Amino acid sequence: MRSRQGIRKRNETMGTKEEQIAQIQGMKKKHNAVILAHYYQNAEVQQVADFLGDSLDLSQKAADNDADVVVFCGVKFMAETAKILSPQKTVLLPREDAGCLMADMIDADDIRALKEEHPDATVVGYVNTTAEVKALCDYCCTSANAVKLVRAIPGNKILFLPDRNLGQYIAAQVPEKTFVFAEGFCPTHHFIEPEDVRQAREEIPDGEILAHPECRPEVLSLVDFVGSTSQILKRARESSSLRIVVCTEQGILYKLQKDSPNKEFIMLSPKLVCPNMKKITLDDVHRSLSRMEPQIDVEDSIRVKALTALERMLQNV
Ligand code: SF4
């Protein structure tokens, strides 16, 4: 009973979508806040964002703006990254339970054990890791700069974590180094099958198939282009093909369609949805700004160590 009344009252307070958006704009101004949203977010959230981007774009934006408050519409490791880069800012994650299943596949004890086993390796952590894990990495990277960054590392042996698929993709581009991989993966991308690609090829013979390197190597070997979210967006804009088959999280459709309204975008599979990326709604953004919570904090001893790995990532853009 209490919750039903609560929901009704909240909706009355927030009003219509248009009123809600106007109130969000007003609160943003009042608190000198900025809304950053990942391309995988719900379209209604992307619509109110000041900046849209992939992990790398948003890390840069988080570090480089004059706002006092960052409302991070993504998943927890992204909001933590914003806090590590800008500790003086209030960082809000509108849904505290928006985690990343891949990031949760490795913890500090796992990485300590791997480091003990491979003491001669340089540890490169995908940005999709907790702050505690980042603090134990030599370098962080995103899918957008991983190949460039790994190539530039002086050491010859790389311990890459947590995403085995991305690690294998990088290893194929950097054959001069040896690699050790952790066993993590992104469930949204990992469960795409080569058969899904073959079927799309048959049904859409004129389509260009673009995929994210979090997919398995046997899937990537069948597509036309492999790239990070921002690289997929660029490729779709520049492609001469009018039908684009997309093999990454479904939220990217909003920006793809906005950039190229004359093209048709087709999801390779209905499996390409990350439930955590879909948790934040416009209501959550509104509530978060009006209550200034949930706030993300990173303990200082962890933050300082994680910052070194993140700064090395940003130097290799
Ligand atoms: S799409 Fe995959 S890597 Fe990205 S937040 Fe979801 S589970 Fe994590």
Side-chain angles (χ1 to χ4, degrees), residues 91-127:
V91 177
L92 303 173
L93 176 66
R95 282 285 298 263
E96 210 168 12
D97 59 342
C100 165
L101 294 172
M102 182 204 287
D104 293 340
M105 287 179 188
I106 192 159
D107 64 17
D109 286 342
D110 297 327
I111 184 172
R112 280 192 199 99
L114 282 164
K115 282 172 84 155
E116 215 167 287
E117 217 180 306
H118 304 281
D120 53 338
T122 303
V123 183
V124 181
Y126 195 16
V127 73

Side-chain angles (χ1 to χ4, degrees), residues 32 35 46 49 51 57 65-67 76 93 106 110 131 165 167 176 178 197 226 253 259 288 306:
N32 188 26
I35 300 179
Q46 295 195 43
F51 299 105
D57 304 328
N65 70 73
D66 298 329
K76 192 166 182 183
L93 176 66
I106 192 159
D110 297 327
N165 293 333
E176 65 274 21
T178 56
V197 182
V226 180
L253 288 178
D259 286 355
S288 185

Side-chain angles (χ1 to χ4, degrees), residues 80-88 131-132 134-135 296-311:
E80 279 184 348
T81 299
K83 187 67 183 178
I84 293 165
L85 293 168
S86 304
Q88 74 288 2
E132 225 184 342
K134 284 186 179 76
I296 295 298
D297 274 312
V298 177
E299 199 186 296
D300 226 42
S301 59
I302 292 174
R303 191 192 72 76
V304 172
K305 288 186 196 150
L307 182 62
T308 307
L310 280 171
E311 281 177 341

Side-chain angles (χ1 to χ4, degrees), residues 40 75 77 99-102 128 186-189 214 249 274 277:
Y40 296 171
V75 291
F77 76 79
C100 165
L101 294 172
M102 182 204 287
N128 301 31
C186 164
T188 304
H189 293 87
E214 287 171 16
E249 213 279 344
C274 171
M277 277 287 186

Side-chain angles (χ1 to χ4, degrees), residues 216-228:
R216 285 181 287 151
E218 55 270 35
V219 168
L220 298 182
S221 68
L222 298 175
V223 304
D224 300 309
F225 176 83
V226 180
S228 68

Side-chain angles (χ1 to χ4, degrees), residues 260-314:
S260 310
N262 59 324
K263 293 184 182 168
E264 186 187 356
F265 296 98
I266 304 140
M267 291 305 297
L268 180 86
S269 160
K271 292 180 271 190
L272 285 160
V273 175
C274 171
N276 278 310
M277 277 287 186
K278 296 291 177 273
K279 279 189 177 156
I280 297 175
T281 63
L282 205 57
D283 287 359
D284 296 318
V285 176
H286 187 283
R287 193 177 318 108
S288 185
L289 264 169
S290 60
R291 296 181 185 172
M292 281 289 123
E293 61 178 31
Q295 292 191 17
I296 295 298
D297 274 312
V298 177
E299 199 186 296
D300 226 42
S301 59
I302 292 174
R303 191 192 72 76
V304 172
K305 288 186 196 150
L307 182 62
T308 307
L310 280 171
E311 281 177 341
R312 288 176 176 164
M313 172 182 94
L314 294 174

